[in-house]
Amino acid sequence: MSNRPVEHYVAPVDPADSNEVDRVKLGDRKSNLWIDAWRDLRRRPLFYISVAIVLVVSTAALFPNLFTDVPPNNNCLLANSNGGPEAGHPLGFTLQGCDVYSRMVFGASTSLSVGIFVVMITAVIGIPMGALAAYYGGWIDSLLSRVGDIFFAIPYFLAAVVVMSVLSQHRNVFVIALAIGGFAWASLARILRAEVLQVKNLEYVMASEAVGRSKFSTLLRHVLPNSLTPVIVYLTIALGAAITAEATLSFLGIGLPPSTMSWGNDIAQAQTSIRVAPMALFWPSLALTVTVLAFIMLGELIRDALDPKARANR
């Protein structure tokens, strides 16, 4: 057996190559979750379409006089009952002789207000319930989760029907929003609880507690802000669902009172004359469908943009 040393051959190293490897590219663009999401969204035409629809509906809800100068109820003449389009009245008239276009514009405020109030109530109840249950754990998690399970087992629309039937003498925008949002928060609490359970074990959360910051302060300062991504997506989609729920309750006659202008009430009132004047039913239905679709589509786009796996698969 030979004792000759084994020769090793090493490729020559070029110092320039190592410098290239170690060099930090300071000119690269900064990136984080939200910046990456925006770069993805701005390349998608559906994002601009949905945002444009939401902006138009929001503007109509806030400033209806920018879209029409015809009062929605003051110029109702039975002589115009179920009349077709004419100068100054592009969408025709309702059964009572009111301008369909004017009622559709002014009704946007009511329908959108209900959706916003429902989202606010859902967030105010669901976010604390989900965050506290996941972060503190133990008996707090058990108690809050069981309460959430009770509300989750009750279909929120069925609960809203019961509440609005009981409070039939006090029907208004806030009551119907409370009837819907008061039972719809359980899904949001579950979503946020699952997200907080992942975030609370990350290094920066443990570092915050290690330096002496209280658990509640850490929850507000670090855990909750980094857990809101699915919440934003859910609330965007929930706003469209709440508008649909209000329209359905009004259509069934247990939502807003008939004197309140909303797309649901206009659809309910137009159904009796659908054979002779179908367009009076078509236009508020179209406004409702397009608005709800815009919110749902926007929520879906935001969800895909905030999901790195979804971006990688495209």
Side-chain angles (χ1 to χ4, degrees):
M1 186 174 180
S2 175
N3 293 326
R4 290 180 58 188
V6 179
E7 297 182 6
H8 297 276
Y9 296 92
V10 180
V13 178
D14 186 354
D17 295 337
S18 60
N19 291 336
E20 289 293 331
V21 173
D22 297 335
R23 181 179 299 168
V24 177
K25 296 181 180 181
L26 298 178
D28 287 352
R29 294 181 300 176
K30 294 182 179 180
S31 179
N32 59 39
L33 180 64
W34 295 101
I35 293 176
D36 290 341
W38 167 244
R39 290 170 183 166
D40 179 78
L41 287 172
R42 68 184 183 183
R43 294 195 300 266
R44 310 188 69 178
L46 286 178
F47 171 72
Y48 294 101
I49 296 174
S50 59
V51 168
I53 295 173
V54 170
L55 288 178
V56 169
V57 173
S58 301
T59 304
L62 294 173
F63 310 103
N65 291 323
L66 294 177
F67 294 83
T68 179
D69 57 356
V70 178
N73 287 326
N74 295 342
N75 285 353
C76 299
L77 300 175
L78 289 179
N80 297 326
S81 178
N82 290 331
E86 60 181 49
H89 308 279
L91 303 183
F93 299 89
T94 65
L95 179 63
Q96 292 77 24
C98 302
D99 182 75
V100 172
Y101 175 71
S102 179
R103 289 187 61 86
M104 190 174 69
V105 171
F106 280 87
S109 175
T110 303
S111 298
L112 195 61
S113 296
V114 172
I116 293 175
F117 280 135
V118 169
V119 165
M120 292 174 60
I121 294 171
T122 302
V124 167
I125 302 176
I127 290 177
M129 294 286 284
L132 294 175
Y135 190 69
Y136 284 93
W139 67 269
I140 296 179
D141 185 17
S142 300
L143 175 63
L144 297 182
S145 295
R146 298 297 78 76
V147 174
D149 289 343
I150 294 174
F151 281 84
F152 189 79
I154 304 173
Y156 76 87
F157 185 79
L158 177 60
V161 170
V162 175
V163 172
M164 295 306 297
S165 299
V166 173
L167 301 177
S168 59
Q169 302 300 320
H170 307 280
R171 293 184 293 173
N172 54 50
V173 170
F174 182 74
V175 170
I176 193 172
L178 186 62
I180 298 172
F183 290 88
W185 59 266
S187 297
L188 176 62
R190 280 193 168 193
I191 292 172
L192 183 59
R193 179 180 178 276
E195 190 70 14
V196 171
L197 287 175
Q198 296 180 4
V199 173
K200 76 173 188 177
N201 295 319
L202 298 179
E203 290 80 359
Y204 62 86
V205 176
M206 293 185 288
S208 176
E209 295 179 351
V211 298
R213 190 180 298 275
S214 66
K215 292 180 71 67
F216 187 72
S217 177
T218 301
L219 173 63
L220 294 181
R221 191 179 183 90
H222 299 290
V223 177
L224 197 55
N226 290 282
S227 305
L228 291 180
T229 298
V231 172
I232 295 173
V233 175
Y234 177 85
L235 291 179
T236 304
I237 299 175
L239 199 153
I243 295 175
T244 304
E246 178 275 322
T248 305
L249 290 172
S250 297
F251 179 81
L252 295 175
I254 54 176
L256 296 172
S259 59
T260 302
M261 280 181 297
S262 73
W263 293 334
N265 276 337
D266 286 349
I267 294 172
Q269 294 169 11
Q271 66 172 326
T272 57
S273 56
I274 186 173
R275 292 186 177 181
V276 296
M279 301 310 291
L281 176 65
F282 172 78
W283 291 115
S285 300
L286 180 64
L288 174 66
T289 302
V290 171
T291 302
V292 172
L293 181 62
F295 279 108
I296 294 177
M297 186 167 56
L298 182 60
E300 295 286 347
L301 291 171
I302 294 175
R303 183 191 64 185
D304 293 343
L306 292 174
D307 186 359
K309 295 181 179 178
R311 291 200 304 269
N313 294 331
R314 286 200 301 267

